[in-house]
Amino acid sequence: TDLGDPIFSIANGKVVQAYDAGGGWGNIIRIIHLLPSGKKVESLYAHCDEIKVKRGQIVNRGDQIGTIGDAHGAYYAHLHFEIRSKIGLPLGGGYSSDQSGYLDPTKFIEEHR
């Protein structure tokens, strides 16, 4: 199991949310990142077991921000990870066919290494 494994920030940024969202989300962390182009993106880390950052905290790429959890027993331990091009989108209730405002995480990370 991945339960308790560390979660690291994908890039430098500012923590804008770090709290227990309840339901199927559990503990979540949202970080806003400023790209060299001046554009902002948001990374979302959900189902965390522990949150190791606070709202307003500045983090650097590679800083540990939490640990992998299971949304308080709702799922097998895993990290739910999203990169959003629209800041502050609602958490939502699950998978949606409307993917506007979301970026492909693998493609984004590969393009911004």
Side-chain angles (χ1 to χ4, degrees):
T1 179
D2 295 332
L3 185 64
D5 284 355
I7 301 169
F8 303 101
S9 177
I10 62 160
N12 300 345
K14 182 177 183 179
V15 177
V16 293
Q17 290 183 330
Y19 71 101
D20 185 351
W25 289 98
N27 292 322
I28 68 155
I29 301 165
R30 289 190 197 216
I31 301 173
I32 303 296
H33 310 279
L34 182 63
L35 301 178
S37 66
K39 182 179 176 182
K40 293 180 182 178
V41 297
E42 176 183 274
S43 58
L44 169 70
Y45 311 78
H47 312 328
C48 303
D49 187 44
E50 291 181 70
I51 296 174
K52 295 190 175 278
V53 292
K54 296 183 187 291
R55 184 172 179 246
Q57 184 175 337
I58 302 300
V59 295
N60 293 311
R61 184 177 120 198
D63 285 352
Q64 185 177 357
I65 59 173
T67 61
I68 292 178
D70 57 9
H72 308 303
Y75 310 108
Y76 290 114
H78 71 283
L79 174 64
H80 178 106
F81 176 71
E82 298 177 5
I83 299 181
R84 299 168 168 204
S85 58
K86 291 185 182 174
I87 306 302
L89 287 171
L91 288 176
Y95 295 99
S96 172
S97 59
D98 180 5
Q99 297 179 5
S100 59
Y102 297 86
L103 301 172
D104 177 322
T106 301
K107 182 178 177 186
F108 179 85
I109 291 169
E110 287 175 352
E111 291 176 350
H112 295 88
R113 287 189 181 250

